[in-house]
């Protein structure tokens, strides 16, 4: 990952491949953002005019490269758009800053060192810019044989991420600045690892492989880990996880990660859907619907990353992560539509559609999490295409059995720059899941399919436990081009929300 430093150096004297500055969209053309005063001065105060001549407007996502003024050691200035100029006395919105830093970092991939002269007023800004840089510089090229790791990289192949970023205007000896940078690095590193897991092809990341990665990370960070394999799942009666995994040559796993703090007064449980590949099973998905289904473990990846980040940050809250891992495949041993599964909670479920598998693995994991009586449970899942239709590909849906908790999680999401929206759990949709044979069916009405799934999950949350469900089917995997600090492919959605919820809980500030 990109190495970060805080620097008090003057822009002109800095040895770097480029200097990044911000440009905002003003009423009468582009405006040079604070932080770039020295650069502007070296252009005799005409930088805004020069940028306008080059076509820059200050729009979000815009990158304009120009030769550095004489006397500068760095050869290039990279001007990145920050969007609308904030009103008088107002600073730039944190997300605008984070995105601009990400865009610049991605534009600089292939370079060794860049100096960032973006608006940096306090330690929080330093953390924001650092996060944008580290997330924006991400690239996944483990499978590119002609990529940067290979000798004699082919023309047009992926570029190595920016190696070093110096944040100008930062105070390297100030504790708050250093803490902000360290937090950004821990969160971004784990988030990028979640992206790697999502991007890893499903022939290499099966439930067993995912569990082994979780075990190794847990060991490294002092997290207690327990892995239930098929034998243990059978013995324990985890019919949901076993039923979904039954068709695959790679058996299912349930991983429990426990981070504990001696100063904790609260315990959070995070539960992740970890379908390492979702073919739909016997209710097979048609071509056109399964090419991206390696992303169906994004919830488990987010939970895993959040628990490790909480441990690395040493938060004063206990965080338990549950990874419900299975591969959903059709075969002679697969669960059939019509089968009835006896779940870990004791309830029976008639499987009407084997493609509604996420709720089955989550049901067992939610019930398992409930046995520890945590103060709250949050599950994260690429659960329904319906949620994607409702909210699009950049916003996730939040459902909950508690209005205040749903609002608090939503607030945390917006605060960290993860667009989310509250969704209801309408009681009338429950009867659509009534089954003639079993206690409940795994499918109900088609209309409001995301909410139906939420209602199904609610049945497997222990009595009296506060619970929220994040359906990240839309934003978990970016099928379009990169934007802001979000790459193509796995995005790491929900990691920062979970970490923020853990931080707020540790501080006694949630809700
Ligand atoms: N993993 C899918 C949901 C999904 C779709 C995630 C698109 C990301 C992108 C889930 O397991 C699924 O197949 N859901 C079905 C449920 C239906 C059969 C009730 C769906 O949404 O169509
Ligand atoms: Mn499915
Ligand atoms: Zn699925």
């Amino acid at each position: 990952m990109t190495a970060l430093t805080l620097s008090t150096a003057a822009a002109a004297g800095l040895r770097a491949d480029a200097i990044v500055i911000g440009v905002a969209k003003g009423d009468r053309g582009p405006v040079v953002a604070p932080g770039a005063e020295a650069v502007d001065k070296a252009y005799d105060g005409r930088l805004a005019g020069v940028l306008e001549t080059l076509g820059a407007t200050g729009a979000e996502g815009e990158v304009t490269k120009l030769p550095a003024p004489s006397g500068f050691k760095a050869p290039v200035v990279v001007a990145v758009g920050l969007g609308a100029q904030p009103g008088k006395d107002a600073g730039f919105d944190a997300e605008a800053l984070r995105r601009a830093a990400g865009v610049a970092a991605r534009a600089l991939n292939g370079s060794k060192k860049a100096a960032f002269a973006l608006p940096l007023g306090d330690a929080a800004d330093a953390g924001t810019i650092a996060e944008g840089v580290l997330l924006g510089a991400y690239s996944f090229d483990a499978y590119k044989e002609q990529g940067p790791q290979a000798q004699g990289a082919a023309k047009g192949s992926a570029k190595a991420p920016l190696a070093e970023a110096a944040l100008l205007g930062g105070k390297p000896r100030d504790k708050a600045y250093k803490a902000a940078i360290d937090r950004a690095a821990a969160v971004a590193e784990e988030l990028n690892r979640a992206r790697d897991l999502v991007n890893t092809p499903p022939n290499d990341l099966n439930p067993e492989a995912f569990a082994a990665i979780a075990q190794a990370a847990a060991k490294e960070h002092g997290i207690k880990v327990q892995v239930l394999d098929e034998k243990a799942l059978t013995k324990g009666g985890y019919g949901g996880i076993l039923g979904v995994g039954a068709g695959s040559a790679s058996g299912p796993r349930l991983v429990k990660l426990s981070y504990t703090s001696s100063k904790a007064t609260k315990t959070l449980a995070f539960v992740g859907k970890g379908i390492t590949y979702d073919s739909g099973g016997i209710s097979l998905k048609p071509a056109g619907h399964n090419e991206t289904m390696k992303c169906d473990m994004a919830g488990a990846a987010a939970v895993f990353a959040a628990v490790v980040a909480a441990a690395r940050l040493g938060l004063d809250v206990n965080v338990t992560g549950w990874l419900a891992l299975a591969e959903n495949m059709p075969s002679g041993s697969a669960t059939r539509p019509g089968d009835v599964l006896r779940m870990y909670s004791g309830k029976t479920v008639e499987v009407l559609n084997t493609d509604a598998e996420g709720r089955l693995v989550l049901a067992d994991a939610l019930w398992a999490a409930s046995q520890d009586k945590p103060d709250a449970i949050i599950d994260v899942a690429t659960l329904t295409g319906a949620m994607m239709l409702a909210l699009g590909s950049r916003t996730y849906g939040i459902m909950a059995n508690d209005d205040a908790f749903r609002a608090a999680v939503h607030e945390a999401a917006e605060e960290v720059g993860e667009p989310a929206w509250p969704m209801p759990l309408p009681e009338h949709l429950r009867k659509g899941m009534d089954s003639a044979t079993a206690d409940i069916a795994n499918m109900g009405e088609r209309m409001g399919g995301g909410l139906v799934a939420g209602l199904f999950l609610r049945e497997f949350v222990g009595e009296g436990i506060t619970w929220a469900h994040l359906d990240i089917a839309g934003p978990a995997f970016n099928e379009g081009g990169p934007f802001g600090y979000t790459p193509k492919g796995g995005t790491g959605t929900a990691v920062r929300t979970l970490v923020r919820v853990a931080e707020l809980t540790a501080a006694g500030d949630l809700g």
Side-chain angles (χ1 to χ4, degrees):
M1 210 170 62
T2 311
L4 276 177
T5 53
L6 291 162
S7 172
T8 51
L14 218 98
R15 277 184 208 287
D17 299 310
I19 296 186
V20 175
I21 63 162
V23 48
K25 208 174 166 137
D27 292 334
R28 287 180 295 273
V31 179
V32 176
E37 291 82 2
V39 182
D40 189 19
K41 203 166 161 218
Y43 282 103
D44 301 325
R46 289 168 40 238
L47 183 50
V50 172
L51 284 166
E52 189 164 23
T53 309
L54 290 169
T57 64
E60 207 189 297
E62 181 185 84
V63 173
T64 311
K65 291 188 181 178
L66 59 160
S70 60
F72 271 59
K73 291 230 164 74
V76 183
V77 169
V78 174
V80 61
L82 282 159
Q85 188 183 27
K88 231 176 131 240
D89 302 329
F92 283 93
D93 173 54
E95 180 62 1
L97 211 50
R98 200 182 282 119
R99 287 187 180 205
V103 167
R106 185 169 46 256
L108 285 162
N109 278 351
S111 307
K112 289 240 148 44
K113 180 173 178 178
F116 284 73
L118 290 171
L120 197 166
D122 57 18
D125 289 343
T128 300
I129 295 169
E131 204 173 283
V133 168
L134 298 175
L135 297 178
Y138 175 85
S139 75
F140 182 72
D141 33 46
Y143 289 81
K144 295 234 188 240
E145 289 306 337
Q146 305 201 314
Q149 292 114 327
Q151 290 294 311
K155 211 177 161 192
S157 67
K159 289 176 181 167
L162 173 66
E164 190 185 341
L167 308 192
L168 302 188
K171 298 184 179 146
R173 267 172 288 282
D174 184 312
K175 269 195 190 134
Y177 276 78
K178 186 153 182 331
I181 296 284
D182 288 347
R183 178 195 182 274
V187 172
E189 205 167 302
E190 296 313 318
L191 191 153
N192 283 339
R193 181 151 58 172
R195 289 170 169 178
D196 279 347
L197 287 167
V198 172
N199 290 329
T200 300
N203 55 337
D204 279 349
L205 192 83
N206 60 21
E208 187 184 358
F210 195 155
I213 290 169
Q215 256 169 332
K219 202 169 158 202
E220 186 185 340
H221 298 289
I223 298 164
K224 206 178 133 208
V225 61
Q226 229 176 313
V227 178
L228 301 190
D229 61 9
E230 276 168 292
K231 218 172 119 192
L233 290 167
T234 306
K235 198 162 166 233
Y238 292 80
I241 296 173
L242 287 165
V244 172
S248 173
S250 311
R253 298 285 185 277
L254 177 62
V255 178
K256 179 183 186 183
L257 297 160
S258 312
Y259 162 68
T260 51
S261 158
S262 57
K263 291 194 219 125
T265 57
K266 292 261 162 75
T267 298
L268 291 171
F270 297 155
V271 175
K273 170 178 174 181
I275 302 299
T276 59
Y277 184 69
D278 182 13
S279 72
I282 298 294
S283 314
L284 195 63
K285 285 181 188 294
H289 290 263
N290 46 26
E291 293 83 353
T292 59
M293 280 304 134
K294 67 174 181 181
C295 83
D296 217 17
M297 34 57 71
V303 164
F304 171 45
V307 176
V308 177
R312 287 181 58 170
L313 297 173
L315 301 184
D316 297 336
V317 56
N318 299 327
V319 184
T320 310
W322 296 86
L323 319 180
L325 309 174
E327 187 182 42
N328 189 21
M329 295 291 272
S331 80
S333 61
T335 293
R336 316 154 189 78
D339 281 355
V340 171
L341 303 176
R342 196 169 297 277
M343 310 293 280
Y344 183 53
S345 77
K347 275 198 175 122
T348 55
V349 177
E350 183 178 15
V351 178
L352 293 180
N353 189 321
T354 63
D355 198 11
E357 84 297 339
R359 63 198 75 181
L360 298 172
V361 298
L362 287 172
D364 278 357
L366 283 169
W367 189 254
S370 297
Q371 302 320 299
D372 295 343
K373 304 242 175 310
D375 293 288
I377 300 179
I378 302 179
D379 78 69
V380 188
T382 47
L383 204 61
T384 66
M387 195 55 57
M388 216 171 167
L389 289 175
L391 295 177
S393 57
R394 294 194 186 180
T395 306
Y396 69 77
I398 312 179
M399 284 145 270
N401 62 2
D402 180 296
D403 289 347
F405 190 57
R406 186 184 55 229
V409 174
H410 184 201
E411 203 179 313
E414 296 289 346
E415 191 188 331
V416 298
E418 294 189 324
W421 204 251
M423 299 297 272
L425 292 170
E427 296 298 337
H428 74 95
L429 289 173
R430 169 60 185 83
K431 66 177 181 303
M433 290 184 286
D434 284 350
S435 160
T437 313
D439 296 332
I440 189 170
N442 78 331
M443 245 185 77
E445 287 181 36
R446 194 170 76 89
M447 295 296 171
L451 321 179
V452 171
L455 283 165
F456 181 93
L457 296 181
R458 192 182 65 173
E459 308 258 330
F460 297 89
V461 175
E463 187 70 34
I465 300 177
T466 304
W467 157 79
H469 158 56
L470 317 185
D471 189 337
I472 60 167
F477 197 79
N478 176 22
E479 292 185 57
F483 60 91
Y485 50 85
T486 305
K488 201 172 169 57
T491 61
T493 290
V495 172
R496 290 177 300 138
T497 301
L498 294 179
V499 171
R500 191 70 196 130
V501 167
E503 285 176 333
L504 291 168
T505 304
D509 286 342
L510 192 77

